[in-house]
């Protein structure tokens, strides 16, 4: 409300009050994190139950008391969330979030720099630039590459995809669109294990999903480079334009790493852009005993990594890296008459709106920048190595159970399935039964609140999948997991036999 020369606003909080509210909230968060291991991983509530908690009241006509609002909201979140920060959370590829990230987000929001341009966010822009350099350094990429923080792996892959699209088309796609193709089909090559982002990218950026050549994989689910070369050659002979090969550095299902060195060599040979999707496995390249192929990650023209996975940043934080900085800028830069961000002397300022699809941008770099310094390179080496060790130990643990079948181990992912002792495997009917049974086991494990797994489909087999990207997981959670699966498996199998 406007008064003479002052104004009172319902959103302002006076400093004394803010201190009190903030201290209380941080207290509540610390208590929550302390209680995490003793809470169920998953509240397993139905949508109707969750909706009921919120009720159907319209927009409140008048403002509410902020203290009780924060208290009620914390309780809602603490009591009705699935906790990916729980030591027994092994689903998908979702990491536990480093608490420093929560503090960083609070600090970032309080200052609220807009990282679209240097002028609007001087120190924040340089912190993001340093974060990008550090991320590049961690995975062995040149520190002078182009890079930008985005919301996650999908967006990081999209940004790299667009950089490759601009750089490797032999006409100006940004102006002419696909009209410039003169009827040629543009091809993208990816293995069948590639994450779904590739379909979204081919669709959203106008290629159509039929532009994707799905390359077969070998028995370890890695791209078959001979098949890749045959396909590229045959497409070129047919007058088509091979644009890009996507190599996966740590697949979602099993942690498989494509033969990055051989893919790179083929891309050089045929002048094709080499993009590596390291959203999951990229940061494992910093391990001294990283899988051999990961050591060639740096050969890629562009790399997507996901700080909200193995850097343990809270959601959201992805990072796109493009070896040739200009190629990244060329893919996104337009000059607008209403922006005058050229700077006034000194070196030209870094304006991130020219390096990605976003215009106004938040300070997601801060949580990553702080976490990197809190843990240091050594800290990350230990955490990532420990995650891999735990997955390997789980795989070994599974072998001790006669009714569990170990399937795959890669990076920090172990897969296995339950096979009741009186059910054979291999025949069509038994495989069908095993798929149904393991799917039911997965659901029951998730609902149990004791641990959280997800699944993979490997050669038509439905398997249980544990992925450790979690600095809170210990041997205790790993050891009790197979027993939980067997207990649930036995029960479900007995129930089914009884019908
Ligand atoms: C997680 C992941 C993605 C998608 O990343 P988001 O952060 O979920 O958007 C893409 N590719 C791979 C290999 C991934 O592991």
């Amino acid at each position: 409300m406007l008064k003479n020369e002052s104004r009172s606003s319902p959103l302002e909080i006076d400093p004394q009050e803010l201190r009190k509210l903030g201290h209380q909230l941080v207290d509540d968060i610390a208590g929550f994190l302390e209680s995490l291991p003793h809470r169920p991983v998953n509240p397993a509530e139905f949508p109707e139950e969750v909706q009921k908690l919120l009720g159907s009241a319209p927009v409140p006509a008048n403002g509410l008391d902020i203290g009780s609002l924060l208290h009620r909201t914390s309780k809602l979140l603490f009591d009705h969330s699935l906790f990916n920060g729980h030591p027994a959370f092994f689903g998908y590829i979702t990491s536990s979030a480093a608490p420093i990230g929560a503090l960083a987000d609070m600090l970032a929001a309080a200052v609220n720099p807009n990282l679209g341009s240097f002028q609007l966010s001087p120190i924040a822009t340089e912190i993001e630039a340093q974060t990008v350099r550090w991320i590049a350094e961690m995975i062995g990429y040149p520190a002078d590459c182009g890079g930008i923080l985005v919301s996650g792996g999908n967006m990081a892959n999209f940004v790299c995809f667009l950089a490759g699209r601009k750089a490797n088309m032999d006409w100006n796609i940004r102006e002419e669109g696909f009209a410039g193709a003169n009827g040629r089909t543009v091809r993208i090559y990816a293995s069948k294990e590639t994450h779904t982002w590739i379909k979204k990218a081919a669709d959203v950026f106008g290629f159509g999903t039929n532009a994707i050549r799905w390359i077969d994989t070998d028995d370890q689910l890695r791209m078959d480079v001979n098949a890749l070369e045959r396909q590229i050659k045959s497409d070129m002979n047919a007058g088509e334009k091979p644009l890009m090969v996507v190599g996966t550095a740590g697949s979602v299902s099993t942690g498989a790493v494509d033969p990055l060195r051989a893919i790179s060599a083929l891309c050089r040979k045929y002048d094709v852009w080499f993009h590596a999707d390291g959203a999951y496995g990229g940061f494992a390249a910093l391990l001294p005993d990283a899988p051999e192929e990961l050591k060639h990650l740096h050969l890629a023209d562009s790399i997507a990594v996901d700080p909200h996975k193995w850097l343990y940043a809270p959601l959201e934080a992805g990072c796109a890296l493009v070896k040739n900085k200009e190629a990244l800028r060329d893919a996104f830069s337009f000059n607008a008459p209403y922006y005058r961000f050229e700077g006034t002397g000194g070196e030209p300022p870094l304006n991130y709106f020219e390096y990605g699809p976003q215009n106004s941008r938040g300070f997601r770099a801060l949580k990553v920048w702080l976490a990197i310094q809190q843990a240091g390179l050594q800290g990350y080496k230990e955490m990532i190595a420990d995650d891999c060790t735990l997955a390997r130990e789980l795989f070994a643990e599974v072998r001790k159970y006669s009714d569990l079948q170990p399937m795959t181990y890669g990076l920090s992912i172990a897969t296995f399935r339950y096979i009741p002792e009186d059910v054979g495997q291999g025949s069509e009917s038994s495989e069908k039964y095993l798929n149904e049974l393991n799917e039911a086991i997965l659901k029951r494990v998730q609902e149990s609140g004791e641990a959280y797994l997800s699944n993979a489909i490997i050669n038509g087999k439905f398997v249980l999948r544990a992925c450790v990207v979690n600095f809170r997981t210990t041997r205790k959670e790993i050891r009790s997991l197979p027993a939980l699966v067997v207990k649930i498996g036995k029960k479900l199998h007995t129930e089914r036999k009884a019908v």
Side-chain angles (χ1 to χ4, degrees):
M1 196 189 291
L2 293 173
K3 300 189 185 135
N4 244 352
E5 300 214 319
S6 69
R7 179 172 176 179
S8 74
S9 152
L11 280 182
E12 193 54 278
I13 301 179
D14 82 51
Q16 229 12 65
E17 178 74 359
L18 184 58
R19 282 189 186 95
K20 221 176 75 196
L21 292 168
H23 290 158
Q24 183 60 52
L25 182 61
V26 171
D27 262 356
D28 292 347
I29 291 171
F32 156 68
L33 289 178
E34 209 167 18
S35 72
L36 202 48
H38 315 293
R39 290 172 179 265
V41 188
N42 179 7
E45 293 166 310
F46 294 113
E48 311 83 87
E49 297 172 80
V50 183
Q51 285 154 15
K52 213 176 281 166
L53 297 166
L54 299 182
S56 55
V59 180
N62 295 299
L64 305 172
D65 173 67
I66 178 75
S68 32
L69 201 51
L70 281 177
H71 179 71
R72 187 172 87 95
T73 307
S74 314
K75 226 177 128 35
L76 266 180
L77 291 175
F78 298 160
D79 294 345
H80 304 279
S81 294
L82 176 140
F83 300 122
N84 47 37
H86 192 288
F89 180 88
F90 307 113
Y92 318 102
I93 304 177
T94 305
S95 71
S96 50
I100 185 98
L103 300 175
D105 271 354
M106 181 141 100
L107 180 57
V111 180
N112 198 34
N114 184 338
L115 283 89
S117 81
F118 173 83
Q119 196 171 313
L120 299 179
S121 58
I123 186 65
T125 288
E126 294 306 325
I127 286 177
E128 176 156 346
Q130 185 164 62
T131 307
V132 166
R133 287 196 297 274
W134 283 350
I135 286 174
E137 187 186 323
M138 287 170 96
I139 64 170
Y141 214 46
D144 63 352
C145 66
I148 186 165
L149 291 192
V150 292
S151 56
N154 264 33
M155 286 305 293
N157 281 302
F158 285 5
V159 165
C160 294
F161 185 93
L162 290 170
R165 186 190 73 144
K166 171 64 179 76
N168 252 40
M169 292 300 206
D170 44 15
W171 75 93
N172 188 342
I173 178 121
R174 292 186 66 203
E175 285 178 13
E176 298 169 46
F178 279 95
N182 287 325
R184 282 174 306 164
T185 302
V186 177
R187 292 290 176 193
I188 304 150
Y189 303 81
S191 95
K192 292 176 173 157
E193 292 296 310
T194 308
H195 185 276
T196 53
W197 73 266
I198 187 67
K199 283 193 190 164
K200 283 197 184 177
D203 167 21
V204 172
F205 303 125
F207 293 72
T209 51
N210 288 346
I212 305 170
R213 292 297 198 189
W214 297 105
I215 307 300
D216 279 333
T217 50
D218 64 14
D219 58 349
Q220 310 225 23
L221 303 170
R222 299 170 304 196
M223 185 187 279
D224 174 347
V225 275
N226 292 324
L228 172 65
E229 180 160 25
R230 278 196 303 276
Q231 188 66 59
I232 291 178
K233 273 194 189 157
S234 111
D235 290 344
M236 288 174 89
N237 287 338
E240 300 184 338
K241 163 78 183 156
L243 173 72
M244 176 180 313
V245 177
V246 176
T248 296
S251 69
V252 179
S253 290
T254 63
V257 180
D258 282 336
L260 302 180
R261 184 160 55 165
I263 293 175
S264 162
L266 281 186
C267 286
R268 294 288 88 82
K269 184 168 167 191
Y270 296 104
D271 190 23
V272 176
W273 185 272
F274 173 26
H275 170 64
D277 178 3
Y280 163 45
F283 288 109
L286 61 76
L287 300 178
D289 58 347
E292 190 52 34
E293 280 301 337
L294 256 190
K295 296 184 180 148
H296 305 298
L297 182 61
H298 65 93
L299 294 171
D301 295 306
S302 58
I303 306 177
V305 289
D306 227 353
H308 69 207
K309 287 179 177 167
W310 246 336
L311 293 189
Y312 313 99
L315 298 162
E316 306 166 338
C319 180
L321 300 173
V322 177
K323 197 173 264 173
N324 174 357
K325 191 174 187 148
E326 293 311 311
L328 180 58
R329 192 168 178 276
D330 287 349
F332 293 101
S333 178
F334 283 115
N335 285 321
Y338 40 84
Y339 288 149
R340 285 279 174 267
F341 290 137
E342 288 85 10
T344 48
E347 60 178 285
L350 175 56
N351 297 319
Y352 273 114
F353 82 97
E354 293 189 282
Y355 290 84
Q358 274 184 279
N359 193 58
S360 293
R361 302 178 64 247
F363 196 9
R364 52 168 67 95
L366 187 62
K367 58 193 172 190
V368 182
W369 188 75
L370 283 170
I372 291 176
Q373 293 175 87
Q374 185 194 353
L377 194 55
Q378 190 51 34
Y380 273 109
K381 277 184 187 162
E382 277 168 23
M383 289 185 289
I384 295 175
D386 286 350
D387 284 348
C388 295
T389 300
L390 287 172
R392 204 163 35 231
E393 289 185 5
L394 173 62
F395 196 63
E397 193 71 22
V398 160
R399 288 184 192 282
K400 296 183 188 160
Y401 293 76
S402 57
D403 42 2
L404 290 180
Q405 181 183 30
M407 299 293 291
T408 65
Y409 160 75
L411 293 176
S412 70
I413 298 175
T415 66
F416 54 99
R417 62 178 184 164
Y418 177 70
I419 303 184
E421 263 143 25
D422 57 353
V423 175
Q425 48 166 316
S427 82
E428 202 176 309
S429 62
S430 67
E431 286 300 324
K432 183 164 171 290
Y433 178 74
L434 290 176
N435 281 357
E436 286 164 7
L437 181 62
N438 278 279
E439 189 160 1
I441 293 171
L442 174 65
K443 192 155 173 289
R444 199 62 73 85
V445 170
Q446 290 179 346
E447 288 165 358
S448 75
E450 289 181 55
Y452 199 95
L453 296 173
S454 58
N455 77 284
I457 307 282
I458 297 174
N459 299 324
K461 297 183 170 83
F462 187 103
V463 302
L464 305 171
R465 172 184 168 288
C467 175
V468 189
V469 186
N470 191 338
F471 55 81
R472 296 202 177 99
T473 303
T474 68
R475 291 201 162 100
K476 184 171 140 233
E477 287 79 34
I478 291 296
R479 290 212 183 107
S480 49
L481 186 58
L484 174 69
V485 169
V486 167
K487 186 181 85 186
I488 290 175
K490 280 207 165 95
K491 186 155 180 289
L492 286 176
H493 179 56
T494 313
E495 281 169 20
R496 273 158 199 247
K497 273 202 303 198
V499 195

